[in-house]
Amino acid sequence: MRTMRKWQVALLVACVSAAMPALAKLQQRPVEWQLDGTRYSGVLVFDDEGDGRRPGVVMVPNWRGVNASAIEKAGRIAGDDYVVLVADVYGSAVRPKDDAEAAAASRPLRENRAVLRARARAALDALKAQAGKAPLDASRIAAVGFCFGGSTVLEMARAGMPLAGVVSLHGGLSTPSPAAEGSAKVPMLVLNGAADRGVTAEDIAAFGKEMDGAGADWQFVNFSGAVHCFAESDANSPPGCLYDPRAARRAWKMMDDFLEERLQR
């Protein structure tokens, strides 16, 4: 075979390059806001391909808060479909290094849901404020949460925040501040590990009764054999917090379908 000349190689490369779309880059931008004198710092994650506006997602991480793992999950949710804010509900000065610190940081918010709701609402407002700075359609926003974050987004739904939907992945179901009749109008997808020792049969029954009483649009899915943290690929603290590939694959697919239904209209 005759060897191609340099100019022919260059022409071939140019033609192939022209035929291929430019590779999009996942953007990670710090976002700061204040509430009651405390500064909060989250991370905005989105694909920078194109300039069309797209829906937003408030993603509340597990009790470890804003960290590299949370940002990675936000990137997976964002893809080229959404602008995702990794929400900070602790304050920029609080970044738990281990589970003990995470438990201490989250305990006051678990005990005082009014404060937790206020901080979650501030994160929602912070995401909406990014319209015009990022390719965000602020009229279409959902919320997703993992573990403690799952509990948080359910509180957002109970409070009737203006959301297109919420998804809780292995979040706690019980609350000292249940939804009032007619207050929880946000569609909810609750993805739970059937073997999660932190969620009892009584919790599940009470949640269903609460949401039916509130007139909510809710769906609850139990994954057999899955324990707490099942949807997080870096969860490796058996027996109570462990990644389950099968349940995770199905849960992420259900979440993707739910967000598409609620946001891509």
Side-chain angles (χ1 to χ4, degrees), residues 58-62 85-87 89 120 143-150 152-153 156:
V58 176
M59 196 206 87
V60 187
N62 62 34
L85 175 66
V86 183
V89 295
V144 170
F146 296 84
C147 298
F148 170 66
T152 302
V153 300
M156 296 173 78

Side-chain angles (χ1 to χ4, degrees), residues 160-251:
M161 295 187 196
L163 294 163
V166 303
V167 183
S168 169
L169 296 104
H170 38 79
L173 304 180
S174 62
T175 180
S177 305
E181 182 178 353
S183 66
K185 294 301 184 183
V186 179
M188 286 170 269
L189 174 63
V190 182
L191 304 173
N192 183 67
D196 188 337
R197 293 179 297 181
V199 177
T200 67
E202 291 75 18
D203 290 335
I204 296 171
F207 178 80
K209 183 177 181 180
E210 174 196 359
M211 292 305 159
D212 284 344
D217 171 3
W218 64 280
Q219 181 178 0
F220 183 90
V221 181
N222 246 346
F223 295 95
S224 64
V227 300
H228 198 58
C229 315
F230 68 84
E232 302 191 74
S233 60
D234 54 352
N236 187 25
S237 299
C241 180
L242 189 65
Y243 177 59
D244 185 313
R246 180 189 62 179
R249 182 175 62 253
R250 294 174 181 175

Side-chain angles (χ1 to χ4, degrees), residues 109-120:
L109 299 178
R110 285 183 275 119
E111 293 174 351
N112 191 333
R113 299 301 171 97
V115 173
L116 178 59
R117 292 179 184 187
R119 294 185 183 184

Side-chain angles (χ1 to χ4, degrees), residues 14-224:
C15 290
V16 171
S17 299
M20 294 176 63
L23 293 176
K25 184 178 179 182
L26 200 64
Q27 299 291 314
Q28 298 178 10
R29 298 182 184 174
V31 176
E32 294 193 344
W33 62 95
Q34 291 193 25
L35 177 67
D36 297 331
T38 298
R39 183 177 298 277
Y40 296 83
S41 181
V43 179
L44 197 70
V45 182
F46 62 94
D47 189 315
D48 70 352
E49 182 178 11
D51 56 2
R53 294 190 303 163
R54 64 200 73 165
V57 176
V58 176
M59 196 206 87
V60 187
N62 62 34
W63 67 355
R64 289 288 190 92
V66 180
N67 58 19
S69 176
I71 295 170
E72 186 276 329
K73 292 182 186 70
R76 181 175 174 183
I77 293 170
D80 58 3
D81 295 317
Y82 307 112
V83 176
V84 180
L85 175 66
V86 183
D88 176 15
V89 295
Y90 292 152
S92 58
V94 180
R95 291 293 183 265
K97 303 183 189 67
D98 53 36
D99 287 349
E101 291 188 5
S106 62
R107 185 176 301 111
L109 299 178
R110 285 183 275 119
E111 293 174 351
N112 191 333
R113 299 301 171 97
V115 173
L116 178 59
R117 292 179 184 187
R119 294 185 183 184
R121 186 181 290 274
L124 172 59
D125 291 342
L127 174 58
K128 288 183 175 181
Q130 297 308 303
K133 305 172 187 176
L136 172 67
D137 178 355
S139 69
R140 295 180 291 162
I141 295 180
V144 170
F146 296 84
C147 298
F148 170 66
S151 301
T152 302
V153 300
L154 291 180
E155 292 298 329
M156 296 173 78
R158 287 179 170 112
M161 295 187 196
L163 294 163
V166 303
V167 183
S168 169
L169 296 104
H170 38 79
L173 304 180
S174 62
T175 180
S177 305
E181 182 178 353
S183 66
K185 294 301 184 183
V186 179
M188 286 170 269
L189 174 63
V190 182
L191 304 173
N192 183 67
D196 188 337
R197 293 179 297 181
V199 177
T200 67
E202 291 75 18
D203 290 335
I204 296 171
F207 178 80
K209 183 177 181 180
E210 174 196 359
M211 292 305 159
D212 284 344
D217 171 3
W218 64 280
Q219 181 178 0
F220 183 90
V221 181
N222 246 346
F223 295 95
S224 64

